[in-house]
Amino acid sequence: MAEGDPPPVVTIDGPSGTGKGTVATLLARELGWHYLDSGALYRAVGWAAVQGDIPLEPIRAEDLSDLARNLAVRFEPTGEGPVRVFVDDWEVTAELRSGKISEAASRVAAMQPVRDGLLELQHNFRQEPGLVADGRDMGTVVFPDTPAKLFLTATPEERARRRYEQLRDQGVDVMFERIKAELGDRDERDAKRNAAPLRPSEGAYVIDTTDISIEEVLAQAHSWVRQRLPERFPD
């Protein structure tokens, strides 16, 4: 590692339901690195818009851009549990996972001014000893210089099943076919949007998580990171 080099980053991209958030959280914990859930940032913009009565139909780009640039978000690890999310010292961990906020996040994430507004904030998470960042454009747009890029995928049926079980465990009454349709709609929006469409970054290591456990995915991710960042993990 040369003097003056920026802190290392591992990017984990992919659609929802592939396990990327769980893998990223566990990997950051194993490495002792910082963690960035970029999806939570877009959810936080959506949450703040709802709280501030900023209309999403029609969307006013300038209002949401200003909101994104001035957003104060922090993540707080909780040992074995999920990472807690705070906006202006107000915990919003549970609220960010609601259907209403998920829909708002999907809408604002398609806007280039919002993505531009959050770019500097995301870069600020890059601190020593390193960063694990999960999202949909971490390797293609936000941290394109890192050699340690992963992309997780899974079949639509398996992703819908995971989301369905997650919501049922939370006591939410949902229908499997509706979950599957909503995931399909979001996949189409993410793939076709002009602002950072969802796709694997060049050189990314792709892992299909459909039929393998989180432990197996984590082991593959850990091996890839050590291979791509040998200066950080000398034998």
Side-chain angles (χ1 to χ4, degrees), residues 15 30 35 44 71 99 139 159:
E30 278 192 6
Y35 170 65
L71 201 65
R159 291 168 50 219

Side-chain angles (χ1 to χ4, degrees), residues 7-135:
V9 178
V10 175
T11 60
I12 304 180
D13 289 311
S16 60
T18 58
K20 67 180 187 292
T22 300
V23 172
T25 302
L26 293 174
L27 184 61
R29 188 176 296 156
E30 278 192 6
L31 298 177
W33 288 10
H34 301 285
Y35 170 65
L36 167 61
D37 176 358
S38 68
L41 298 184
Y42 291 100
R43 290 172 182 271
V45 173
W47 176 85
V50 171
Q51 295 298 309
D53 292 325
I54 297 176
L56 298 177
E57 282 290 346
I59 295 177
R60 289 173 52 86
E62 59 271 23
D63 291 342
L64 292 175
S65 176
D66 290 342
L67 191 64
R69 292 181 189 280
N70 293 290
L71 201 65
V73 180
R74 63 182 174 88
F75 300 102
E76 185 176 296
T78 58
E80 297 301 319
V83 174
R84 299 168 68 190
V85 185
F86 294 82
V87 176
D88 291 328
D89 292 326
W90 185 274
E91 183 171 4
V92 295
T93 309
E95 293 177 73
L96 295 191
R97 296 299 171 183
S98 71
K100 181 178 183 180
I101 300 304
S102 294
E103 178 63 23
S106 181
R107 290 180 178 276
V108 302
M111 301 177 61
Q112 190 62 54
V114 174
R115 306 191 79 87
D116 291 344
L118 288 177
L119 194 58
E120 183 177 355
L121 176 60
Q122 292 174 97
H123 286 166
N124 290 340
F125 280 89
R126 188 174 194 169
Q127 300 176 16
E128 292 289 354
L131 173 68
V132 178
D134 92 66

